[in-house]
Amino acid sequence: MLGLRKPPEIAVLVLRDADVVARALRQALAEAAPGERPGLERAVTLVERAADTSDAELRSRWVHERLAAVGHEGPADSVRAVKALRDAVPGLSLLAAVRLSKEAAAHPGPSAPPGGDPGR
């Protein structure tokens, strides 16, 4: 029957190109004048650190950013967080929102205290 198809679920896909950027920076560093080297060395370090970030951490950062954008301040894996995430990302299924919120709780955002306990 027409019109009764379930809409496609939104998936969070992690795209990485830090390795390409790191290669370009290393090439630039190899050809750099002495005065340019310190800045390029620092840039290489930052890009390599970003490249070492896991997919789970990147998805968690994405969730924390979405929750912050809608003003959610509680635990990332609460029922309110799941609702806030689904409000922030129309089309995100309940199952995907729950999975993402649990993953985000396991990787607290930069402003969250260690262990994810906001009362500490």
Side-chain angles (χ1 to χ4, degrees):
M1 294 166 70
L2 295 176
L4 295 179
R5 268 187 34 191
K6 198 167 139 181
E9 181 177 322
I10 293 177
V12 177
L13 176 65
V14 176
L15 300 175
R16 294 178 175 265
D17 60 359
D19 57 332
V20 174
V21 174
R23 262 194 314 272
L25 284 171
R26 279 191 223 98
Q27 180 64 39
L29 183 58
E31 301 167 357
E36 297 174 318
R37 293 188 63 77
L40 286 170
E41 288 169 350
R42 176 73 175 136
V44 168
T45 300
L46 292 172
V47 169
E48 287 175 344
R49 188 178 309 149
D52 288 340
T53 304
S54 72
D55 288 355
E57 289 172 302
L58 291 174
R59 283 188 301 270
S60 297
R61 184 184 312 155
W62 181 85
V63 169
H64 287 291
E65 288 169 357
R66 296 297 145 319
L67 292 177
V70 295
H72 178 76
E73 295 180 359
D77 59 348
S78 68
V79 171
R80 287 187 177 169
V82 171
K83 180 175 180 351
L85 184 58
R86 292 187 74 204
D87 288 345
V89 185
L92 187 65
S93 74
L94 178 59
L95 179 60
V98 169
R99 286 179 179 161
L100 288 166
S101 69
K102 285 181 180 181
E103 190 171 57
H107 297 92
S111 62
D117 183 1
R120 281 190 194 177

